[in-house]
Amino acid sequence: MEIEQRTNAGARLVPGEGAAGAATMRAAVQHRYGPPSVLAVSQVGRPEPGPGDVLVRVGAAAVHPGDYFVMTGEPFLLRLAFGLRRPRHGIPGRDLAGVVAAVGKDVTAFRVGDQVFGWSTAGSLAEYACVPADTLVSVPANLSVVDAAAVPTSALAALQALRRIANVQPGQAVLVTGASGGVGSFAVQIAQAFGAEVTGVCSTRNVDLVRSLGADHVVDYTTTDFTRTEKRYDVILDNVEAQPLAAVRRALTPTGVLIPNSGRGGRWLGPLGRIVTARVLSGVTRQHLKPFVSVEKRQDLLTLADLLTSGQVRSVIDRTYPLDEAADALRYVGAGHTRGKVVITI
């Protein structure tokens, strides 16, 4: 049934009023790949939690470039995972924060009324989302629901890149490109928390923002090319990939780590060509070129919650949009010039 395809995987529809005898909710829905105009807010079936699930009344949901790519279906390589002809799940979005509305019979970690944040595997731009309990953690007391929704995907990518992939150590020199963006704004703060000497690369209008996040040095890319300075870095997290790999490698120490992380590339294969090149080069040089894919780990989300609670990390919110303007939010994200995160309030 159409309505079942729009609900979260593994969830059942709640009996009650609405279409086909099911309770309904408002959600941003797309039936085909395409530009933001394919999104429309409509009534769809409301899910019911399975034994290990939590039904979250969504208060806010962040969107990021990955959501834009999935919505458009480009690069086409993505469709192998998300549906060849149309999106397998018609509700976009992954990150969310909200209040527990119901729990499955096997869930003991959360109770109705708890504030939580985490990931939805089948869409977060909706009034309700049914989420496995092990993909959620409690919202720190010092965070708003909007700030919490901004965290999961982008902050997790930054944490895993710097800790798991690069193994950043105190005193190391770390450079972050796209330092004012979603991943970059978190990466600057996390690298600082790890004791690194942090350089952020951004445009002129974002210099003060990146400095306020704790960057020791800020490079304005409109006036300075970091690959042509004398400075060498132990770790480069390249969230923009505007420079050729050969140029970026010049800015690395002889045994430094380069993490390409923009996700952009050609219409068909996206960043795959650059990833393959990086892997090949890494086998013939002492430098380490390490493209990666972040993995949703609850323990890492708990680590981020601790960093947020202590004030070492904070969310940077560029804009908020109501659910009815979800298409505008994704259009803005797709333009590629966000300062921090874009969040949809529901």
Side-chain angles (χ1 to χ4, degrees):
M1 289 174 59
E2 179 86 8
I3 207 166
E4 291 176 337
Q5 292 171 343
R6 298 173 187 166
T7 60
N8 293 272
R12 302 186 305 278
L13 296 180
V14 176
E17 299 296 324
T24 63
M25 65 181 182
R26 296 175 69 245
V29 179
Q30 66 176 112
H31 300 291
R32 60 185 176 87
Y33 292 115
S37 58
V38 302
L39 290 181
V41 176
S42 59
Q43 293 286 332
V44 301
R46 195 179 81 191
E48 177 182 292
D53 297 333
V54 173
L55 181 67
V56 178
R57 174 65 173 90
V58 181
V63 289
H64 54 87
D67 296 318
Y68 183 83
F69 297 150
V70 172
M71 177 190 67
T72 61
E74 294 183 8
F76 293 120
L77 185 66
L78 284 173
R79 301 190 185 195
L80 295 177
F82 294 99
L84 291 176
R85 301 186 64 182
R86 64 175 183 173
R88 186 171 294 113
H89 302 295
I91 300 173
R94 294 185 70 80
D95 296 358
L96 59 79
V99 177
V100 174
V103 298
K105 65 180 181 66
D106 295 338
V107 175
T108 59
F110 302 106
R111 297 182 297 177
V112 172
D114 288 348
Q115 284 198 320
V116 294
F117 71 113
W119 303 279
S120 169
T121 58
S124 60
L125 302 190
E127 291 179 320
Y128 292 88
C130 206
V131 183
D134 61 2
T135 64
L136 296 170
V137 301
S138 298
V139 174
N142 60 332
L143 251 64
S144 70
V145 67
V146 170
D147 289 335
V151 172
T153 294
S154 294
L156 185 88
L159 175 67
Q160 292 186 352
L162 296 172
R163 185 172 66 174
R164 176 167 61 88
I165 305 301
N167 190 27
V168 169
Q169 299 297 311
Q172 286 189 314
V174 174
L175 180 133
V176 179
T177 71
S180 61
V183 174
S185 60
F186 284 116
V188 167
Q189 299 174 82
I190 292 170
Q192 268 288 339
F194 289 170
E197 178 188 346
V198 184
T199 298
V201 181
C202 61
S203 65
T204 306
R205 76 183 183 104
N206 294 319
V207 167
D208 289 341
L209 168 63
V210 173
R211 188 171 287 119
S212 76
L213 296 175
D216 300 289
H217 315 282
V218 182
V219 175
D220 180 350
Y221 69 74
T222 68
T223 60
T224 304
D225 181 348
F226 75 87
T227 69
R228 296 185 178 278
T229 68
E230 297 300 317
K231 179 69 174 177
R232 297 294 177 263
Y233 301 93
D234 300 296
V235 177
I236 296 178
L237 175 57
D238 192 357
N239 297 304
V240 179
E241 298 187 70
Q243 305 274 24
L245 282 173
V248 180
R249 287 178 58 205
R250 287 200 303 265
L252 272 182
T253 60
T255 58
V257 178
L258 167 60
I259 307 172
N261 188 50
S262 78
R264 297 183 181 271
R267 186 180 183 191
W268 287 90
L269 298 179
L272 185 60
R274 193 175 176 98
I275 289 172
V276 170
T277 300
R279 292 292 189 193
V280 170
L281 287 173
S282 196
V284 296
T285 176
R286 293 172 61 206
Q287 293 174 329
H288 306 279
L289 284 63
K290 295 186 174 183
F292 84 112
V293 175
S294 60
V295 180
E296 295 172 352
K297 290 186 176 181
R298 186 172 186 269
Q299 186 57 51
D300 287 342
L301 202 56
L302 289 168
T303 297
L304 291 168
D306 289 341
L307 291 169
L308 292 157
T309 298
S310 69
Q312 292 175 281
V313 172
R314 64 180 174 90
S315 300
V316 176
I317 308 300
D318 185 339
R319 300 183 183 184
T320 61
Y321 293 80
L323 180 61
D324 288 330
E325 297 175 13
D328 292 334
L330 280 160
R331 186 176 293 110
Y332 180 61
V333 168
H337 300 292
T338 60
R339 289 161 52 96
K341 296 293 296 182
V342 172
V343 178
I344 294 172
T345 55
I346 300 169

